[in-house]
Each structure stands twice: as C-alpha cells, then as structure tokens.
Amino acid sequence: MHYRELGDSGVEVSEVAFGAWVVGTDWWGDRSDADAVEMVEYALENDVTFFDTGDVYGHGRSEELVGEALSEHRDEVTVGTKVGYDFYDNPQAGHGELPKELTPEYVREAVENSLDRLDMEYVDVLFLHNANVDEVTDELLETLYDLRGEGVVDALGWALGPSIGWLAEGDRAAELDFDAIQTVYNLFEQTPGNHFVESIREENADTSIVARVPHSSGLLNEQVTPDTELGEGDHRAYRPDDWFETGWEKLDEIRFLERDGARTMSQAAIQWLLAHDEVAAVTPTFRSREDIDEWAAASETPPLSEEEFERVADLSARNFGIDRSDGMDAEEFRTSVGGEDLRDAGVIPANSAEN
C-alpha cells in the first residue's frame, strides 16, 4: 500500500480507502454487525488505513461500527466522517435524500454526536455532506475553521453528490483551499473529476480529490455482467439499462489496461485514478474479503504508462467508439446553480435550459 497527503493538511491517507457506507446499511447487501466489523478489521490487516464514513449512513450506525472496529487502532488510522443531513428529525425513505441542515449550530452539534458514536476525541477529516454552494456561508466556514483550530478535526473536505455534477461546489472547495473534494470519478464517468483536476491546478490549490464509485457501479470490477440480476433495493438498480449495456461495450475497448495479467481490470481502474497527482485516495465499495484482497493490492500493481493514459484519454474523447446514449446525458447532471456551472465548463451547450 502506498500513502498520500490530503492537500497540505498533514493528514496521511492510504491510496485505497474503505468507504463505510456499506457498514450499518443494506444499500449494498445485508450483512450482520459482526460481519461489518470483521470487514473493517480485515481491511486494516491489508494496510488500508483511511476509513470514510458519514453520520447519515444507517442513521449513525456506520459510525458506531467503524468506531468499534478501530477502537484499538486509533493512532494507526485516518478516519473521515460527514455531516449535513438532518436524520435526527426525518425518517429515511428508501434511498431518498433527506433534508439538509447546515447552520453553524447544527454542524457543531452533529460533529459532537459523531465523535460520541465513533468514541473518538477528533476526526482526521470532516466532510460537508452534499452541501450546495450557497449553503456554505461565511458563518459556517468560520465554524469549520474553529473546529479545526480546536483540534476537533484535522482536515476539511466537501463531499459532492449524490449524483454526477456539482461543479460549482467543487470549484468553490478548491477556491477555499479545502483539503479534499470527494466526488464520483472513474474511467467511464470522468466528469466532474477531470474538471476538478483542472480547477485545482488553475487555483494552485492545496486540495486533493477522494474518488468514489471508482468501479462505475460494478462495471469496471465486473461484478455486474450481462447475466447479473440486481436485487430489490440494490443501489445500482437506479442506473438506466443503457448505462450497463454501453458499459460492457466500453469495457472491451480498455482490456489493454490489464497488461497481460499484470493487473486486473478492477486494479487498473484504481491505477487510472491514481495516475492523477491530485487524487489522494480511492474509495471502492468493499463487499467481501476477496474484494479487499484484490483492491487493496491495486496500489502495488504497475502504474499506468504515459501511453496507456493517453490512449484512455483518446478513447474517452470519442466516447469509446460508441455512437449512442448511455442514458446518463450531461443535461441531466446535478447542479445547484441552474446549470450555470455546467455551461461555463462546456459540459452542456451554452444555450441549454436551466436544470
């Protein structure tokens, strides 16, 4: 395992991290609490030291289980959590998005509650969870800086989502020198990650990217194939059928990344992300020991060559040679500013209607 720094925060993260939304929830399959704890412990045994959770995952249950699993290893690990959704006063309805609450008072109280559940005195990284750009006020920023000054958090991040887009938010995070931007980023979904790489460079920002959904919802790790039947409640079932069908065709175009068995496609997908200096960590969705064995080892596989990287860029620019829609049109990307950010970045035409 290799390790990188989040921005210039001094916080070190393993290149392959553990996304703990699978802990304490059934969004990626049911597992017992004991199984979840065992998975976290097994990841640590495989040199994964960055564990990324959130207070809304399982309405606090993920934090409790992560804290339990890491209780004897606090000095060996980096722990991040997220706040911003008010699950205390609102029941979860399936995968629906809960109301957000980002007042300074709420955020401070939410952080204190997270620390209680984690049974920790501080978190290494605090992410604002899917905050719109206009919700991050000067007063909220002052509270975040105070929390960092008090030693309650070491680094600040902005987690973008839940779907593709949110360019205004990532650009603002880079402008403010947040230590981390967490966003969907993978070989098949290069927007908005590529845009944020450019923003960070343009701002000369000390900001890192934490890439989530690195395997494009099961395509790049080949856990979703033409024969797969997604179970009821499986989060990936929200993807359109065209997404998977075009994805399988794209997959054939990038088989060269496996480099004659030197790395699996799953590992190559991670190495493509790590080829960007701005990417500090990748958070695949571990569901088994076998996943951990394979993906934690990705850090040690051959990095992409310049030729491989440029070949992927050329394929992506030509939509991997596919001339039909994958059902995920850019006009439908999420935006909190009426599509202005998408138009300014050239992601959608300048004359497109507001999203």
Side-chain angles (χ1 to χ4, degrees):
M1 182 67 72
H2 298 164
Y3 302 85
R4 301 187 182 188
E5 181 182 6
L6 278 183
D8 66 348
S9 65
V11 173
E12 182 183 80
V13 294
S14 52
E15 288 184 339
V16 179
F18 190 108
W21 48 85
V22 300
V23 173
T25 74
D26 61 359
W27 287 16
W28 291 84
D30 285 323
R31 60 184 51 80
S32 70
D33 289 352
D35 288 341
V37 169
E38 192 274 338
M39 280 187 64
V40 173
E41 294 172 339
Y42 189 69
L44 183 57
E45 290 174 17
N46 280 266
D47 299 322
V48 174
T49 60
F50 181 24
F51 296 87
D52 173 48
T53 185
D55 65 356
V56 76
Y57 302 149
H59 285 197
R61 189 58 182 152
S62 177
E63 289 179 323
E64 292 172 348
L65 293 172
V66 168
E68 178 184 340
L70 300 178
S71 61
E72 298 181 6
H73 306 280
R74 185 64 184 98
D75 294 337
E76 306 167 38
V77 298
T78 298
V79 177
T81 196
K82 308 176 189 72
V83 298
Y85 282 114
D86 181 10
F87 62 90
Y88 298 99
D89 300 312
N90 299 279
Q92 185 76 47
H95 295 286
E97 191 172 1
L98 293 172
K100 284 181 287 185
E101 180 62 70
L102 286 152
T103 64
E105 297 78 14
Y106 177 86
V107 166
R108 179 174 282 278
E109 183 177 356
V111 171
E112 292 172 354
N113 290 338
S114 288
L115 292 176
D116 286 342
R117 286 188 291 266
L118 288 163
D119 195 21
M120 296 177 181
E121 295 181 357
Y122 69 98
V123 290
D124 301 276
V125 193
L126 176 68
F127 290 95
L128 296 179
H129 204 171
N130 301 345
N132 289 5
V133 68
D134 62 353
E135 294 170 331
V136 183
T137 63
D138 290 343
E139 293 76 17
L140 176 56
L141 288 171
E142 183 177 355
T143 297
L144 296 175
Y145 299 150
D146 285 346
L147 289 169
R148 185 170 58 185
E150 295 163 12
V152 176
V153 302
D154 288 339
L156 297 173
W158 199 326
L160 311 179
S163 54
I164 308 297
W166 309 103
L167 302 192
E169 284 70 23
D171 288 349
R172 180 61 171 155
E175 179 185 335
L176 291 168
D177 256 347
F178 267 57
D179 300 298
I181 300 169
Q182 185 172 125
T183 183
V184 173
Y185 197 13
N186 59 64
L187 275 160
F188 293 163
E189 295 169 295
Q190 297 186 24
T191 303
N194 286 348
H195 174 82
F196 296 143
V197 167
E198 294 179 6
S199 297
I200 290 167
R201 293 174 182 174
E202 289 173 2
E203 293 286 345
N204 195 27
D206 290 315
T207 302
S208 293
I209 293 172
V210 176
R212 65 184 183 90
V213 200
H215 291 131
S216 194
S217 297
L219 289 173
L220 289 162
N221 56 10
E222 300 185 82
Q223 288 185 347
V224 177
T225 72
D227 297 323
T228 302
E229 293 186 11
L230 297 175
E232 185 178 353
D234 191 309
H235 191 65
R236 293 166 297 183
Y238 287 84
R239 295 277 195 178
D241 290 342
D242 288 346
W243 170 256
F244 294 106
E245 291 168 5
T246 58
W248 295 319
E249 295 179 39
K250 293 176 183 178
L251 199 60
D252 288 337
E253 297 298 318
I254 58 172
R255 286 290 179 193
F256 64 89
L257 291 177
E258 294 174 317
R259 200 186 285 188
D260 296 325
R263 56 193 173 214
T264 65
M265 184 56 69
S266 296
Q267 293 169 333
I270 291 172
Q271 278 291 9
W272 179 80
L273 287 163
L274 294 175
H276 302 81
D277 291 339
E278 291 77 12
V279 174
V282 179
T283 57
T285 302
F286 295 121
R287 297 193 300 164
S288 67
R289 278 175 168 256
E290 290 74 21
D291 289 346
I292 294 170
D293 288 335
E294 181 179 356
W295 303 342
S299 188
E300 297 289 344
T301 61
L304 262 67
S305 67
E306 183 175 343
E307 179 183 0
E308 288 172 323
F309 192 78
E310 290 178 355
R311 189 172 172 185
V312 169
D314 177 64
L315 282 168
S316 178
R318 296 186 290 107
N319 194 34
F320 300 86
I322 298 171
D323 62 359
R324 56 188 171 81
S325 171
D326 60 8
M328 301 279 286
D329 296 332
E331 286 79 5
E332 298 176 5
F333 289 175
R334 291 286 290 270
T335 173
S336 68
V337 291
E340 179 182 351
D341 50 351
L342 300 174
R343 288 190 290 272
D344 288 347
V347 175
I348 59 175
N351 60 354
S352 294
E354 290 192 359
N355 289 33

